[in-house]
Amino acid sequence: MAADGALLFDAAAHDPFRARTRSGSLGSSAIRNRIDDLVTWANTEASRHGLPGQTIPADPHGRIGTARFRRTLAWHIARRPGGLVALAIQYGHLRTALDTDEAGRYGTRSRGGIHRLVDIETALATADTAADLTERFHDGEGISGPAARQALLRATTGPLFQGGLVKRDFPVKHELARRHLARDGGVLYDNPHALLLCLYRRDRALCRNDEQLTAPVLDRCVPGCGNVVRTDQQAAALRQRAEQLERKAGLFPEPIGERLHVNATRLRTWADDHDRTRITTEENPT
């Protein structure tokens, strides 16, 4: 749908008549025109195939805008291979960054929604995260963070979730996934953007903002949270990201450049803290 490195709705690709005068994504008026074209095409196809129930009704408030199209786009993203993860990245959601009700609102065409699929996929992802942490630790990698020892204990002794999406036992898999994710303080989430792991426990989560959440909001990760776990690999990635920020700092005006320098220093501090406090197999992790 888009060239490598290009935006999804790149003006250069989708608005050739104004490509010389516009950069970035399509403007609001162009997006609305494209949505109108999409509605016309979809309704024509529904009529041609004798599917009146699949037509897109007129919006009583006027032209269909980007807010309503957001849900249409999410529905298609969710049904691509790996789509639930892509949906999480696109909208900052999933159970790792989103409660299941939110996924249902964005990716559903029925009352049931996709929240059961999100439960199963998230349970599988958290099980993989726990298994990967255990394997890395036994291979000599160090880990740190206020929840590091508890994460190791949970990963090595806690119940595991195993099972893919098999249609005939889908309800059973969903119930197992729901129970797996309900273990407060026993589920390990990966946050690749913040370069840390989260052993989510509600009473010490700083991402909650007084909300009653059953999973972390990973796009609101707060440094110093009591749920944080970090590995050697993530500490190395922090230093790599700091170097990238330092290189960018020299290309920007002083206020922005100084901010990038500060952020780079903060990342290196977190990496240094990890090196100073990390635990390895030479210690008793419990």
Side-chain angles (χ1 to χ4, degrees):
M1 294 181 67
D4 290 341
L7 300 172
L8 180 59
F9 298 109
D10 201 309
H14 297 284
D15 196 0
F17 297 107
R18 299 183 61 185
R20 294 183 178 179
T21 59
R22 173 178 290 279
S23 60
S25 61
L26 292 174
S28 300
S29 61
I31 286 286
R32 286 193 292 270
N33 290 336
R34 291 306 178 94
I35 292 174
D36 288 343
D37 292 342
L38 175 65
V39 171
T40 300
W41 172 83
N43 288 345
T44 299
E45 288 297 299
S47 176
R48 184 167 70 88
H49 291 284
L51 299 170
Q54 299 297 316
T55 57
I56 301 174
D59 193 319
H61 301 289
R63 294 175 68 184
I64 297 176
T66 54
R68 187 168 165 189
F69 182 66
R70 175 184 172 98
R71 179 180 171 184
T72 299
L73 185 61
W75 187 88
H76 287 280
I77 291 174
R79 280 151 182 79
R80 298 287 295 172
L84 296 179
V85 175
L87 186 63
I89 296 171
Q90 181 70 23
Y91 294 110
H93 293 328
L94 195 66
R95 264 192 83 124
T96 55
L98 151 93
D99 204 357
T100 51
D101 290 340
E102 192 76 16
R105 284 198 293 272
Y106 281 126
T108 183
R109 292 186 67 198
S110 64
R111 186 170 297 177
I114 63 170
H115 61 277
R116 293 191 299 173
L117 290 174
V118 175
D119 276 340
I120 293 175
E121 185 161 328
T122 304
L124 288 168
T126 59
D128 287 343
T129 299
D132 183 65
L133 177 68
T134 303
E135 182 178 352
R136 287 181 179 278
F137 183 73
H138 288 307
D139 286 344
E141 185 162 349
I143 68 169
S144 69
R149 295 181 184 273
Q150 190 66 24
L152 282 173
L153 181 63
R154 293 286 188 171
T156 55
T157 64
L160 298 178
F161 176 78
Q162 297 176 337
L165 298 178
V166 181
K167 186 173 182 180
R168 63 176 178 272
D169 62 353
F170 178 77
V172 175
K173 289 293 192 289
H174 171 245
E175 179 59 22
L176 292 174
R178 189 187 64 79
R179 292 179 184 177
H180 174 84
L181 296 171
R183 298 181 300 121
D184 187 37
V187 184
L188 190 64
Y189 296 85
D190 184 18
N191 187 349
H193 298 293
L195 295 175
L196 54 81
L197 305 175
C198 173
L199 184 70
Y200 184 72
R201 187 169 142 187
R202 284 188 292 272
D203 62 356
R204 61 187 182 191
L206 299 182
C207 63
R208 289 185 305 122
N209 287 348
D210 296 326
E211 301 171 62
Q212 295 299 317
L213 300 177
T214 59
V217 184
L218 297 185
D219 57 353
R220 294 208 306 247
C221 237
V222 180
C225 177
N227 293 329
V228 167
V229 181
R230 184 165 277 128
T231 66
D232 286 349
Q233 187 179 58
Q234 291 168 333
L238 284 174
R239 289 192 172 90
Q240 183 179 11
R241 186 177 292 179
E243 291 176 2
Q244 293 171 350
L245 292 179
E246 293 283 10
R247 287 196 294 269
K248 288 183 179 180
L251 304 175
F252 286 89
E254 184 174 344
I256 299 176
E258 180 60 29
R259 192 177 309 130
L260 292 174
H261 280 302
V262 170
N263 288 336
T265 300
R266 183 183 300 115
L267 296 180
R268 289 195 180 97
T269 299
W270 293 342
D272 291 342
D273 289 342
H274 166 81
D275 290 343
R276 189 178 63 257
T277 61
R278 64 194 285 270
I279 59 177
T280 65
T281 51
E282 297 178 359
E283 298 184 40
N284 181 358
T286 60

